[in-house]
């Protein structure tokens, strides 16, 4: 069962069928979910090898739809947020913060019509009344981490490399964020992507990237994960 089918089924369970009645002959929830996925695809920006996705979405609804659905906004926002997270995971997109979904009245719209706007930023500081679609720029550090968390890489010599970017490139080249003086390491060998999970991605390196002894193309890092690039060993620490 796909994301959209699961979405409708979960909403039906939440409101015992009344949600579908509220949407009858009006805006359909699956239309909002499909529009959300399309907006994510259209607004993704490639930065440093990562696909940065928007995480703040505002749906503009016609007056009749807005008034009829106002009692369901909380459930709908939660389910649409879940759709956004799962869709980004499926597409390997990286949002800079958790999803934030809201609904506003747009009296110029006809019943059954809606608009969606999106941007990328910290949910806590987003000025939704002034929101307009803008290019997505990743924040550093990634705000899905709590303030007490300071992820970093540590060498066997005890040197620490804080992960303060949404995407950190590791390699031998001068354009790498973390430069490794190791002939077995490619110019841009791999990257670490901060998000709801911390990922490491190999960039087709000559000698490969190993995590906990396994050669990977992409893997989730956990506190204490051992990374080997060339002859260099790094330990990932989540705090």
């Amino acid at each position: 069962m796909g994301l959209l089918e699961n979405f409708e089924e979960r909403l039906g369970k939440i409101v015992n069928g009344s949600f579908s009645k509220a949407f009858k002959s009006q805006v359909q929830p699956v239309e909002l979910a499909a529009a959300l996925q399309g907006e994510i695809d259209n607004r993704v920006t490639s930065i440093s090898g990562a696909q940065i996705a928007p995480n703040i979405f505002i749906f503009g609804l016609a007056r009749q739809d807005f008034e009829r659905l106002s009692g369901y906004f909380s459930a709908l926002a939660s389910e649409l947020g879940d759709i956004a997270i799962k869709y980004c995971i499926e597409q390997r997109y990286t949002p800079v913060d958790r999803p934030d979904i809201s609904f506003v009245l747009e009296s110029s719209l006809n019943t059954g019509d809606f608009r969606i706007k999106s941007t990328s930023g910290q949910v806590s500081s987003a000025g939704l009344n002034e929101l307009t679609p803008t290019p997505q720029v990743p924040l550093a550090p990634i705000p899905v981490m709590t303030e007490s968390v300071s992820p970093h890489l540590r060498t066997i010599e005890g040197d620490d490399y804080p992960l303060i970017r949404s995407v950190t490139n590791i390699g031998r080249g001068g354009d790498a964020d973390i430069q490794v003086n190791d002939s077995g390491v490619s110019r841009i060998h791999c990257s670490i992507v901060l998000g709801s999970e911390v990922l490491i991605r190999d960039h087709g390196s000559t000698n490969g990237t190993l995590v906990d002894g396994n050669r990977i193309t992409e893997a989730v890092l956990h506190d204490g994960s051992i990374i080997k690039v060339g002859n260099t060993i790094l330990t990932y620490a989540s705090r």
Side-chain angles (χ1 to χ4, degrees):
M1 184 177 292
L3 285 180
L4 298 185
E5 289 84 356
N6 275 320
F7 170 77
E8 289 192 300
E9 181 178 331
R10 288 196 304 274
L11 282 178
K13 290 179 180 178
I14 289 172
V15 294
N16 298 319
S18 61
F19 200 102
S20 61
K21 294 177 183 177
F23 275 104
K24 188 175 182 180
S25 300
Q26 309 297 334
V27 172
Q28 299 296 319
V30 71
E31 293 178 319
L32 300 180
L36 178 71
Q37 293 180 357
E39 181 72 6
I40 292 173
D41 286 333
N42 291 335
R43 290 290 177 179
V44 162
T45 302
S46 181
I47 300 178
S48 299
Q51 297 292 97
I52 306 300
N55 64 299
I56 300 171
F57 306 91
I58 295 180
F59 286 90
L61 300 174
R63 180 173 299 278
Q64 183 177 352
D65 290 320
F66 186 88
E67 292 175 352
R68 175 179 290 210
L69 303 174
S70 59
Y72 305 106
F73 283 161
S74 179
L76 183 54
S78 176
E79 292 300 324
L80 286 170
D82 189 54
I83 283 283
I85 291 171
K86 291 180 179 179
Y87 189 66
C88 285
I89 292 172
E90 282 187 358
Q91 302 300 316
R92 297 187 177 182
Y93 296 154
T94 304
V96 302
D97 202 347
R98 69 185 185 277
D100 183 85
I101 313 291
S102 60
F103 304 90
V104 297
L105 171 64
E106 292 198 22
S107 56
S108 62
L109 292 175
N110 296 321
T111 301
D113 294 334
F114 64 90
R115 293 192 180 102
I116 180 172
K117 297 180 181 179
S118 69
T119 191
S120 192
Q122 291 178 295
V123 170
S124 59
S125 62
L128 297 184
N129 290 334
E130 301 176 356
L131 180 66
T132 55
T134 57
Q136 289 72 49
V137 179
L139 304 177
I142 213 74
V144 292
M145 302 290 181
T146 62
E147 292 182 1
S148 62
V149 174
S150 179
H152 59 275
L153 297 178
R154 178 171 297 164
T155 68
I156 57 176
E157 291 82 12
D159 296 323
D160 282 339
Y161 294 94
L163 300 171
I164 60 173
R165 299 173 179 270
S166 57
V167 179
T168 300
N169 292 319
I170 302 171
R172 186 163 45 90
D175 52 347
D177 300 309
I178 298 178
Q179 295 182 33
V180 180
N181 186 18
D182 184 332
S183 60
V185 173
S186 299
R187 185 181 64 81
I188 297 294
H189 195 100
C190 61
S191 62
I192 293 179
V193 181
L194 301 185
S196 56
E197 293 181 314
V198 179
L199 303 177
I200 182 169
R201 292 173 180 160
D202 183 79
H203 289 292
S205 61
T206 302
N207 295 314
T209 299
L210 277 69
V211 176
D212 295 329
N214 300 310
R215 184 162 181 162
I216 59 92
T217 54
E218 179 176 293
V220 176
L221 291 177
H222 304 283
D223 189 54
S225 291
I226 305 298
I227 303 165
K228 184 176 182 182
V229 292
N231 295 310
T232 300
I233 295 177
L234 303 165
T235 301
Y236 170 73
S238 61
R239 65 185 65 230

